[in-house]
Amino acid sequence: MNEREKTFQEAMNLGHSAAWDQNWDEAVTHYRQAVQIAPGRAQAINNLGLAYFQLNRFNEAETCYKQAAKLSAGDPLPVERLAQIYERTGKIKLAADYSMASADLYLKIKDADKAIENWARVTRMIPEHIKAHSRLAIVHERLGHTRQAVREYISVAALLQDVGQVSEAIQTVEKAIRLAPENKEAQQALELVRTNKTLPKPVRQRGGTGSLDPEVEKKQSKESAVEATSIARRGPDPISEARQQALTELAGLLFDVTEDDLEEPDSTRPSLRGVFGRSKGDELDNISKNLGAAIDLQTRAQDGAALKELKKAVDIGLDVPAAYFNLGLLYHKINKPDKALGYLQRSVNHPKFALASRLIIAKQLFAKDRIQDAATEYLEALREADVSIVAENQQENLRSQYDPVIETFTQKVDKDKQRQLCENIEDLVSREDWRDHVVKARRQLPSTDSGVSAMPLAEILTEASDTRIVEAIARINDIARKGYLRSAMEESFMLLTTAPTYLPLHIQMAELMLRMENTKAAVEKFTVVAEAYSIRGEAQRATNLMRRVVEISPMDFKARTRLIKRLTEMGEVDKAIHEYIKLADVQYRLAQLDHARSTYENAFRLAQQTKADPSWSVRILKQMADIDLQRLDWKQALRVYEQLRSLIPEDELTRTRLIELNVRLGRRNQAATELDNYISYLSSRAKQGTAVAYLEKLVEENEEMIFARSKLAAYYGELGRKDEAVEQWDKVAEIMVVKGDIERAKEAIRAILLLNPPNADQYRGALQRLG
């Protein structure tokens, strides 16, 4: 890390600490310093905007969020913040426009809940906003929120009726009836609209929306500043929260809602190909059918039937953490803990479902009177809850602080104390607004200089935390720093007899092995510890160790493959693709072209998932095409370049390769068509100069491409460059005569005559001589 980056991170960390303490003036100072160091970092600008927002300095906040929106065009957060600013300042039309834009951006990244939240803001500010009501109706319907969808469809019908579109209003209410035939509100609405009676229009809630009184606004701002870190912490209990997250993600697999879909809802067809690109069509159809049924049944509290449908989808090939968590939860609810455990152990590795999965497993173990195992799982759940509410730069350190507590408490404490701990954690975490309670509990811990304790919350729930292990590790580190590596290793082995399952000690031993140049043993130790963390459900720590292994031994293909698998399971698709590419690069340098291409194919399939950066596909396809050219597999290279043309139609090299490959394969007509299409593409974008330069270069480098010279001649003629057109047609005619292709030579001469050159008689004579 260079000095500039270090200074930037220090400023950001100080800003985070000030924000945590609700000291927004100080946060502004530090975040502004970070922005001055790195003015192109959207994160710093967003944080500065938040600090201004909390201080009610809306003009400065607006400037920050507009800049952030430009730097990260696909990020909905700054757009949403701008909507909130305009709502607070009474600019309702602007607030509505930005909320609509933010909702569309959230929908593109498959965050339907946030999209709904923004459309709902619009309907709260402007109840007559028919577009917002329409989109709410469609998305609620797709997500299985039948009651909400019906209500929104009725609102749309009322607004259509108000502007005289009675038939459309009837159709809209009928759609609500089809969605929920027994819904009395929908039935009454249909009766009203059919008898030409007015449907009640949506109205603004009491209090309205607009600019607040300055004193009231100041007071509310202070209150919101005090509660800023707890706003996100309110909500359902962890299991209900994860259940909703899982259902939302599974529903998101069923469809990709686009702008066109929202305007024409019937045009959308369920599609899972972004995740299951290798599955056959009938498998995808069955997965879609079973998954859709499972979601619908679960939203109607028919858990047994929902479980059967979801199990069918998983058995066919549905392989996502949300499905595993949902299955585990459903088996838990119908009291089949053994079956639940297998699925929850797969979902526990995903950050979104780790806490809820731990809690369910702990409940099951506690019910079976396996108190020691239950205590371990409850402490692991507490770790997830505790880490989730501290600043990001403190999370890894806090996570590691739990290791000695778990090691000591679950091994050396009597069963009654373990039972009491289980009940304490259950009471603290398994409740609504659990984040607020965890925050309040953390306030009882000793504070550091920054005001936030780095101690684990488990310290106040247990009295058995043994600090001897930590002290011994510190002693080993001190010995190693002095260069006595063998002595440090001996100390480690002695400590190992008393704490054999304390994983940080094993990591320390691996680091010592590495310093003693015993790389193979170090890699084996790191790998074993990573597997242990994975089994314990600590996916992030397992992933970090696998990264360490790959850094030490970049040629260890198995290690990198395991790392890719972990990253994929955690939903870190971009990082997984990056590792795929690094693996393929190593294979490429070793001249293992077949293996490298296969790895790129795996990366490309992963990149097709909607959350992956689209630029990955272009980068990967270029590498695949390069390998195909080296292997002289021209047909395969042609197919890859055709995909690239769709992704980057403006890329000159891709267009050239398509032309050249078609020529090599004897497909000159297709080559000419490719050239015509590219020139038409450039012309449609007013790039005639680029088109001419490209044609001239292509003709100069490929004299055998007569169709290219003909195209250049024709294009000169279209641009009014008659002399140059005649010159090129003349060369075409000359080459055709030499080749014995008299008909094409005559076509070239006729093209010259159409240009009416000064020496037209000469060309007429040549045409007569050719017969």
Side-chain angles (χ1 to χ4, degrees):
M1 183 184 297
N2 59 38
E3 193 63 31
R4 184 181 180 86
E5 180 66 20
K6 184 178 179 181
T7 307
F8 172 80
Q9 289 298 337
E10 288 175 354
M12 289 291 287
N13 290 338
L14 288 171
H16 295 332
S17 296
W20 179 267
D21 295 335
Q22 308 300 319
N23 190 342
W24 295 109
D25 286 311
E26 185 180 339
V28 164
T29 301
H30 295 304
Y31 286 140
R32 188 190 290 138
Q33 181 186 358
V35 171
Q36 289 171 349
I37 296 169
R41 295 281 189 93
Q43 179 190 2
I45 298 169
N46 270 320
N47 289 354
L48 179 58
L50 175 62
Y52 282 135
F53 184 85
Q54 294 296 338
L55 292 169
N56 285 356
R57 294 167 62 176
F58 296 127
N59 289 336
E60 292 99 326
E62 179 185 5
T63 301
C64 288
Y65 284 123
K66 281 185 174 179
Q67 185 179 355
K70 288 181 180 179
L71 288 172
S72 50
D75 185 2
L77 177 62
V79 181
E80 182 181 33
R81 283 292 187 188
L82 285 167
Q84 293 169 351
I85 289 170
Y86 293 136
E87 182 182 12
R88 292 283 294 275
T89 55
K91 300 175 182 177
I92 302 305
K93 177 64 169 61
L94 272 177
D97 290 344
Y98 274 86
S99 290
M100 293 296 291
S102 176
D104 290 345
L105 290 172
Y106 274 121
L107 207 59
K108 286 180 180 178
I109 61 173
K110 295 299 183 69
D111 194 339
D113 288 340
K114 290 295 291 183
I116 289 171
E117 180 183 320
N118 277 274
W119 286 320
R121 181 187 299 115
V122 175
T123 60
R124 185 179 69 246
M125 294 184 294
I126 306 177
E128 303 85 5
H129 202 296
I130 190 169
K131 189 173 184 180
H133 283 293
S134 297
R135 296 192 172 193
L136 279 169
I138 293 166
V139 174
H140 276 311
E141 179 184 352
R142 297 290 176 81
L143 294 176
H145 305 162
T146 304
R147 182 172 55 83
Q148 296 95 320
V150 167
R151 186 184 303 120
E152 294 298 337
Y153 276 126
I154 292 172
S155 295
V156 172
L159 295 172
L160 289 170
Q161 184 190 48
D162 186 58
V163 295
Q165 298 182 24
V166 178
S167 61
E168 289 84 350
I170 292 173
Q171 292 174 9
T172 303
V173 178
E174 287 175 343
K175 185 163 189 176
I177 291 287
R178 289 196 299 271
L179 193 59
E182 305 301 322
N183 187 286
K184 292 182 179 179
E185 187 180 357
Q187 293 171 353
Q188 291 171 358
L190 185 60
E191 179 64 24
L192 287 173
V193 74
R194 280 180 172 171
T195 56
N196 290 322
K197 294 180 181 178
T198 304
L199 287 172
K201 291 192 299 179
V203 295
R204 181 173 297 168
Q205 298 299 315
R206 194 181 337 188
T209 301
S211 181
L212 298 174
D213 177 85
E215 290 302 317
V216 175
E217 188 174 68
K218 184 176 181 180
K219 180 181 177 182
Q220 290 188 1
S221 177
K222 288 181 179 178
E223 292 173 352
S224 67
V226 172
E227 297 297 324
T229 58
S230 65
I231 288 174
R233 293 190 285 270
R234 295 175 184 154
D237 65 88
I239 295 173
S240 299
E241 186 177 296
R243 173 186 178 274
Q244 185 56 48
Q245 177 69 40
L247 285 174
T248 300
E249 289 193 12
L250 293 173
L253 292 178
L254 284 175
F255 62 94
D256 294 325
V257 181
T258 65
E259 184 80 16
D260 292 339
D261 299 331
L262 292 167
E263 301 299 338
E264 298 291 339
D266 293 334
S267 67
T268 297
R269 178 181 177 273
S271 173
L272 293 159
R273 297 187 184 277
V275 180
F276 305 101
R278 287 175 289 177
S279 297
K280 296 177 182 178
D282 55 347
E283 291 177 346
L284 288 174
D285 290 340
N286 288 331
I287 290 174
S288 178
K289 177 182 176 181
N290 295 135
L291 182 56
I295 294 169
D296 179 60
L297 289 164
Q298 195 169 353
T299 55
R300 291 191 278 126
Q302 298 181 25
D303 292 339
L307 189 152
K308 292 179 181 178
E309 294 294 336
L310 185 56
K311 179 69 164 54
K312 290 177 184 177
V314 169
D315 289 342
I316 295 170
L318 181 63
D319 183 17
V320 291
Y324 297 128
F325 172 76
N326 215 8
L327 270 178
L329 175 61
L330 290 169
Y331 274 121
H332 171 68
K333 292 176 74 173
I334 64 172
N335 199 27
K336 291 187 177 181
D338 293 336
K339 289 189 176 182
L341 184 61
Y343 291 108
L344 292 171
Q345 285 175 335
R346 300 187 71 173
S347 65
V348 79
N349 288 319
H350 197 284
K352 292 179 182 177
F353 307 113
L355 172 57
S357 298
R358 293 283 189 194
L359 283 174
I360 297 172
I361 294 171
K363 290 173 188 286
Q364 293 173 346
L365 294 171
F366 190 83
K368 293 180 178 181
D369 203 36
R370 293 171 55 184
I371 303 303
Q372 181 175 325
D373 294 333
T376 299
E377 289 299 327
Y378 270 118
L379 282 169
E380 291 288 359
L382 181 62
R383 184 198 323 239
E384 296 296 334
D386 202 359
V387 167
S388 72
I389 58 94
V390 301
E392 186 176 351
N393 63 320
Q394 297 175 327
Q395 290 179 355
E396 186 59 29
N397 178 50
L398 179 59
R399 187 177 288 278
S400 66
Q401 294 297 313
Y402 270 81
D403 287 318
V405 178
I406 294 173
E407 172 72 20
T408 301
F409 194 83
T410 57
Q411 298 294 331
K412 301 180 181 179
V413 178
D414 65 65
K415 193 172 182 179
D416 288 339
K417 286 188 176 180
Q418 290 176 345
R419 185 187 302 276
Q420 184 61 52
L421 174 75
C422 293
E423 292 173 353
N424 290 344
I425 296 176
E426 173 73 17
D427 181 62
L428 176 67
V429 180
S430 291
R431 60 192 301 168
E432 294 182 356
D433 63 10
W434 62 272
R435 292 181 176 87
D436 279 331
H437 287 272
V438 173
V439 169
K440 290 174 183 176
R442 283 201 64 80
R443 289 173 183 161
Q444 301 176 40
L445 294 171
S447 297
T448 61
D449 293 339
S450 66
V452 182
S453 175
M455 292 175 60
L457 185 54
E459 293 283 4
I460 63 172
L461 297 179
T462 70
E463 297 178 357
S465 178
D466 192 345
T467 61
R468 288 177 296 174
I469 296 176
V470 178
E471 292 170 357
I473 289 285
R475 186 170 62 252
I476 292 168
N477 284 331
D478 186 56
I479 295 171
R481 275 195 298 271
K482 293 177 180 178
Y484 305 124
L485 300 181
R486 291 189 179 278
S487 297
M489 186 62 79
E490 289 174 4
E491 288 282 333
S492 299
F493 277 113
M494 291 177 62
L495 182 58
L496 197 61
T497 60
T498 59
T501 60
Y502 185 49
L503 297 183
L505 174 59
H506 290 274
I507 296 173
Q508 179 68 31
M509 293 174 72
E511 293 291 355
L512 287 171
M513 292 172 185
L514 199 59
R515 291 181 63 184
M516 295 167 69
E517 298 184 358
N518 191 352
T519 305
K520 183 178 179 182
V523 166
E524 290 175 354
K525 175 70 81 173
F526 278 128
T527 302
V528 170
V529 177
E531 289 297 325
Y533 273 126
S534 179
I535 291 169
R536 282 168 46 167
E538 296 187 54
Q540 187 59 60
R541 303 190 78 179
T543 301
N544 292 340
L545 283 175
M546 291 311 304
R547 281 202 181 97
R548 186 82 172 101
V549 171
V550 169
E551 289 172 4
I552 297 167
S553 182
M555 305 300 290
D556 190 338
F557 293 164
K558 289 183 179 179
R560 199 179 293 273
T561 301
R562 285 194 291 268
L563 173 59
I564 292 168
K565 182 180 179 182
R566 299 204 185 290
L567 290 169
T568 304
E569 289 174 349
M570 292 171 63
E572 297 186 9
V573 177
D574 288 321
K575 292 180 181 178
I577 294 171
H578 181 63
E579 291 299 331
Y580 262 130
I581 291 175
K582 288 168 70 174
L583 174 58
D585 288 344
V586 172
Q587 293 168 330
Y588 183 86
R589 288 195 296 272
L590 293 174
Q592 298 177 0
L593 297 186
D594 290 342
H595 290 302
R597 196 186 191 287
S598 178
T599 301
Y600 280 127
E601 283 181 352
N602 291 333
F604 181 68
R605 277 193 287 268
L606 189 57
Q608 297 307 292
Q609 295 188 24
T610 55
K611 292 185 179 179
D613 188 332
S615 64
W616 286 121
S617 295
V618 173
R619 180 177 175 182
I620 294 165
L621 287 171
K622 285 183 176 181
Q623 296 291 342
M624 290 169 61
D626 181 62
I627 291 174
D628 289 334
L629 290 176
Q630 291 187 52
R631 298 190 306 177
L632 303 181
D633 190 347
W634 294 340
K635 288 184 179 180
Q636 184 62 47
L638 181 66
R639 285 191 286 269
V640 174
Y641 277 116
E642 285 173 344
Q643 288 178 283
L644 276 170
R645 179 191 58 203
S646 300
L647 294 171
I648 43 172
E650 73 284 354
D651 187 65
E652 180 179 304
L653 180 60
T654 297
R655 297 287 192 159
T656 302
R657 289 284 187 265
L658 281 169
I659 295 166
E660 292 173 347
L661 286 167
N662 274 302
V663 170
R664 289 180 183 178
L665 292 168
R667 302 167 55 178
R668 290 189 173 272
N669 289 338
Q670 289 90 332
T673 300
E674 286 289 347
L675 179 59
D676 289 343
N677 291 340
Y678 184 42
I679 299 304
S680 297
Y681 173 85
L682 293 173
S683 298
S684 67
R685 283 154 181 76
K687 294 184 178 180
Q688 287 82 359
T690 303
V692 169
Y694 177 75
L695 285 167
E696 290 174 342
K697 179 182 177 183
L698 190 65
V699 167
E700 181 181 351
E701 295 177 354
N702 302 273
E703 292 187 0
E704 76 284 358
M705 288 188 187
I706 306 304
F707 63 86
R709 191 179 295 276
S710 299
K711 182 64 181 178
L712 176 60
Y715 201 63
Y716 277 145
E718 292 175 15
L719 297 175
R721 297 165 63 172
K722 185 170 68 173
D723 293 342
E724 291 161 300
V726 169
E727 180 182 355
Q728 292 301 324
W729 281 124
D730 188 68
K731 289 182 180 178
V732 170
E734 181 180 344
I735 293 170
M736 290 297 97
V737 169
V738 172
K739 288 179 174 290
D741 192 340
I742 304 302
E743 288 304 317
R744 292 183 66 186
K746 290 160 66 175
E747 289 176 4
I749 294 173
R750 292 191 187 98
I752 293 173
L753 291 173
L754 289 174
L755 293 168
N756 194 25
N759 52 347
D761 290 340
Q762 175 184 338
Y763 286 105
R764 290 192 186 94
L767 187 62
Q768 290 175 353
R769 287 193 294 275
L770 290 173

